[in-house]
Amino acid sequence: MAIDSSRRRFTLTLFVFSCVFAGRQVEAAVSEARGVTRILGMRLEKSDSPAETTERGVIQVTEGSNISFRFYGLHLFPNSSALIRFTELYSSDKEDDVHGAIMISSNRTCPEHTRDIVVNGLMDVGNHNTSGVVSLKIKQLRKSEAVKVFGLCIRDTQDEEEKWYLLDDKDGRLRVVEEKKSLLPVWLQVILISFLLVLSGMFSGLNLGLMALDPMELRIVQSCGTEKEKKYARKIEPIRRKGNYLLCSLLLGNVLVNTTLTILLDDLTNSGIGAVVASTIGIVIFGEIVPQALCSRHGLAVGANTIMVTKLFMLLTFPLSWPISKILDCVLGQEIGTVYNREKLVEMLKVTEPYNDLVKEELNMIQGALELRTKTVEDVMTPINNCFMIHSDAVLDFNTMSEIMESGYTRIPVYEDERSNIVDILFVKDLAFVDPDDCTTLKTITKFYNHPVHFVFHDTKLDSMLEEFKKGKSHLAIVQKVNNEGEGDPFYEVIGLVTLEDVIEEIIKSEILDESDLYTDNRTRKKVAPNKNKRDFSAFKHESESKVKISPQLLLAAHRFLATEVSLFSPSQISDKVLLRILRHPDVIQEIKFNDSDKRSTHHYVYQRGKPVDYFVLILQGRVEVEAGNENMKFETGPFSYYGVMALSAPTLEFRSPSHLSGLNRTASLSGADRTESLSVSGSNSQLNNSIPSQQYTPDFYVRALTDLQFVKITRSQYQNGLMASRLDSTPQSPESGHNAARMDQTTPPATANTTITDLGADSTPTENGPDETTLLLLNEQNSPHTTNHHHSQLENSI
């Protein structure tokens, strides 16, 4: 029963709802058939002022604008515009109304219509009467209003009272905002923007131009610039001294101008993006690139000509820029300016070489002077192997002094034992009073002058070396370093020489050449031009001078030894003066240089077994090895050992008796045959030698040098000429014989033997104390050249 009752109630309820729905459908159909106008919504069609839809979907327009709205609905007719009105919902003096979406309490009726929005004319209805366009006039807002929101009111035509109702809370809203007005007139804004661009460029250019001119450079320009540059520098220098204050003023002015320029462009274009783009392009081109390119090249002139504007902005920005500059001064310290060290200055000179007015030689000198402190003596020295040196045991004969003069050096190191052991310095001017014929030892000169030897280390800087040379102690220094390689204690090793000329050449970066230089550079060893004149001192050398130089003391010792120890050279055979002449002959004193790499060289043998010889040998210096006998016995001998006496004694030379020669000299008249015989005996030595049977001495022993050797070598012909000269010198002479001898010299053709006899001749005046006078002659002969020539002339006349 209960179930049947519930079913009947449900069926009854469903029937009621169906009837109600059908009634409404019928009512709507009747209304539609009658043509009732209904407005359902609106949208913005167009506007002559900025208009948009906010983020909340509210239509926003500008005050004082004419807009067109498209309304949507049913059965719209041209007179449907009378059904549209607006009412004021709220207003505000700020745009803080959440884009017109503030919720307000409303009873959805329009109590009154606003007069700020006026509906103009009829509605322009579409084909299906579902939409139409209505023109609206938005009036100006009040001064206290920044935004005002209106609601759309629709009149209900079916209502007998024809009331006005709000269409919707959000869809029917219209937000009116005030019109954005320009701060200044457009023409004035354009002028200001152009002026601000000029100021921006000026500040940017001055920032680069003035700040790039540091105080040091301005001082330099004031001293050595042109007249205009000096004038400009004097104007700029007072404000440039206040570096941080000037910097702060320029930067503040630049920022202020750029900011104002952006604001004016935004107001002029009414677009943020447009203002950003326009200000960026204008500032970059006209405010940065062009002025900085100009001031980077002409910053001094631009800064001087705009100095008053700079001072004005420094005054205007004083309250802010001056305190900031003082803080910067305290934190960063005083501005010194650009200071170039040695390396930077040298590099600056190299880089600016194409643009400065320095010639290459001047530039090299400046660079050389600046680089002097960075180089050491090891970089410019002459290696020890390439140095010209003299051994301390050298004899200052003609050859040695000629070698010194040909070297072209004025200061010559003197070494002992090895080249690295330098003990003295020889100045060429020390040789001014030295006669080469005196054969003075080098030690005598160096001990007399005793020049100090200046040693420096290899890492000594060239500027310090120059200061040492300037003190006048020496213009040559020995370069040494500490050698600690290998085992043992470290020691000082001499590696080269450095001179004042080397330092000066490094300063001027060029080689100093004189007429005696053999090399353009001691390090590269590049020789001078081959056609350069080379001095030849052979013109000062006496023809009869010995090729091998020995000291006068050694020559005197050899003379005494031969006269006393060797019977063939005793005073009874050869007079002391003739013997002295023999020893002074150019070919008598000889030497052998020992070669360690070839000890058995034939050059080392003085005598060889089975090889005929015709000379006598007296060892003066060095050691020899003698190998004699069938057993080949070997022994060593040293100085003042002699060999080959038999080479001089065989064969015996027979002379005419002195009385016969005297008789010839005293004869008043001689036949032609006698005169010819006399000439053959006493005139030509070559004829005499040719008349003697040729017999040679063959030794049965060897004599070989073991060291460097100096020895006396007298040939048989020299000895025989000495015998003849001694016999002629001891024979009393008459005036006729002297006259005949002169005639004999004139008629006899010149020959080598003739010269030998003349050279071997001594003073024609007999002496009783021969050795003593010979010693005096040997030691003093070179100091009396006129006397020597007189002896030669007397000897020739006597012969």
Side-chain angles (χ1 to χ4, degrees), residues 381-604:
M381 71 176 186
T382 302
I384 191 70
N385 295 331
N386 297 332
C387 297
F388 178 78
M389 297 184 180
I390 301 180
H391 197 280
S392 60
D393 294 335
V395 177
L396 295 176
D397 53 14
F398 183 84
N399 293 332
T400 303
M401 295 184 69
S402 297
E403 186 179 1
I404 292 173
M405 296 301 294
E406 290 174 359
S407 69
Y409 300 110
T410 58
R411 293 169 176 82
I412 301 172
V414 179
Y415 67 94
E416 282 186 358
D417 299 333
E418 56 184 12
R419 291 173 61 87
S420 61
N421 184 24
I422 298 176
V423 295
D424 275 308
I425 300 294
L426 174 67
F427 289 10
V428 172
K429 64 181 180 181
D430 299 342
L431 306 177
F433 298 108
V434 176
D435 191 341
D437 294 331
D438 290 343
C439 297
T440 308
T441 58
L442 181 59
K443 286 184 178 180
T444 304
I445 303 300
T446 55
K447 287 182 179 180
F448 177 79
Y449 288 101
N450 195 22
H451 297 297
V453 182
H454 189 195
F455 288 91
V456 296
F457 287 102
H458 67 102
D459 56 353
T460 303
K461 300 297 182 182
L462 288 186
D463 59 336
S464 303
M465 194 71 257
L466 181 60
E467 291 299 323
E468 291 295 325
F469 285 149
K470 286 166 58 178
K471 293 178 181 179
K473 295 180 179 179
S474 175
H475 287 177
L476 181 144
I478 314 300
V479 182
Q480 63 181 6
K481 70 175 182 179
V482 178
N483 190 337
N484 53 7
E485 298 178 358
E487 299 180 355
D489 296 333
F491 62 94
Y492 292 117
E493 178 185 6
V494 175
I495 60 175
L497 302 179
V498 62
T499 63
L500 178 61
E501 181 179 340
D502 295 331
V503 180
I504 295 177
E505 287 177 348
E506 198 62 28
I507 293 176
I508 66 176
K509 284 187 172 296
S510 178
E511 294 298 323
I512 301 175
L513 299 179
D514 57 27
E515 61 278 3
S516 61
D517 281 346
L518 299 178
Y519 300 95
T520 58
D521 188 359
N522 290 333
R523 284 170 288 178
T524 60
R525 305 296 291 175
K526 182 179 180 181
K527 292 189 176 182
V528 297
N531 57 351
K532 187 174 181 180
N533 295 330
K534 183 178 180 181
R535 287 186 175 86
D536 185 9
F537 298 97
S538 60
F540 300 99
K541 186 174 182 180
H542 197 277
E543 294 182 356
S544 63
E545 188 175 355
S546 177
K547 298 178 182 178
V548 180
K549 286 296 181 180
I550 61 174
S551 64
Q553 294 81 1
L554 184 58
L555 183 62
L556 178 60
H559 180 274
R560 288 290 180 265
F561 182 84
L562 291 175
T564 57
E565 299 296 332
V566 183
S567 59
L568 292 180
F569 296 98
S570 63
S572 61
Q573 298 289 333
I574 296 181
S575 65
D576 292 332
K577 293 182 180 180
V578 172
L579 179 58
L580 178 61
R581 291 299 176 185
I582 294 176
L583 294 177
R584 293 183 63 83
H585 192 271
D587 296 329
V588 170
I589 307 296
Q590 297 187 10
E591 67 178 355
I592 294 177
K593 294 295 183 181
F594 187 75
N595 186 6
D596 290 329
S597 61
D598 188 9
K599 297 181 179 181
R600 293 289 179 176
S601 174
T602 56
H603 173 68
H604 295 164

Side-chain angles (χ1 to χ4, degrees), residues 554-767:
L554 184 58
L555 183 62
L556 178 60
H559 180 274
R560 288 290 180 265
F561 182 84
L562 291 175
T564 57
E565 299 296 332
V566 183
S567 59
L568 292 180
F569 296 98
S570 63
S572 61
Q573 298 289 333
I574 296 181
S575 65
D576 292 332
K577 293 182 180 180
V578 172
L579 179 58
L580 178 61
R581 291 299 176 185
I582 294 176
L583 294 177
R584 293 183 63 83
H585 192 271
D587 296 329
V588 170
I589 307 296
Q590 297 187 10
E591 67 178 355
I592 294 177
K593 294 295 183 181
F594 187 75
N595 186 6
D596 290 329
S597 61
D598 188 9
K599 297 181 179 181
R600 293 289 179 176
S601 174
T602 56
H603 173 68
H604 295 164
Y605 284 91
V606 182
Y607 288 100
Q608 296 187 40
R609 179 183 297 171
K611 186 176 181 180
V613 296
D614 64 343
Y615 53 84
F616 165 85
V617 170
L618 171 65
I619 306 299
L620 296 180
Q621 295 189 72
R623 300 192 62 79
V624 295
E625 179 187 72
V626 180
E627 182 179 347
N630 295 329
E631 296 81 3
N632 294 329
M633 297 181 59
K634 296 181 181 179
F635 58 91
E636 294 183 8
T637 59
F640 293 97
S641 58
Y642 57 94
Y643 311 92
V645 177
M646 298 297 294
L648 302 182
S649 60
T652 304
L653 179 62
E654 297 294 339
F655 290 97
R656 294 177 184 270
S657 62
S659 61
H660 175 70
L661 291 174
S662 299
L664 287 175
N665 291 334
R666 288 193 295 268
T667 304
S669 60
L670 295 174
S671 64
D674 293 336
R675 292 182 180 179
T676 303
E677 183 183 359
S678 175
L679 289 174
S680 66
V681 173
S682 61
S684 175
N685 190 50
S686 61
Q687 296 175 3
L688 178 63
N689 291 335
N690 292 333
S691 64
I692 299 175
S694 177
Q695 297 185 9
Q696 292 182 327
Y697 167 69
T698 302
D700 60 348
F701 55 88
Y702 292 97
V703 177
R704 182 174 62 89
L706 298 178
T707 61
D708 291 344
L709 205 63
Q710 286 186 348
F711 56 92
V712 175
K713 181 179 180 181
I714 301 175
T715 63
R716 183 184 302 164
S717 61
Q718 292 171 342
Y719 178 73
Q720 290 173 355
N721 292 333
L723 288 176
M724 180 177 290
S726 298
R727 300 284 179 87
L728 294 176
D729 188 22
S730 61
T731 303
Q733 302 293 325
S734 64
E736 292 80 358
S737 64
H739 178 68
N740 293 334
R743 289 178 58 192
M744 180 181 63
D745 285 341
Q746 294 175 1
T747 57
T748 304
T752 304
N754 240 345
T755 305
T756 305
I757 295 175
T758 305
D759 290 342
L760 295 178
D763 194 352
S764 60
T765 305
T767 178

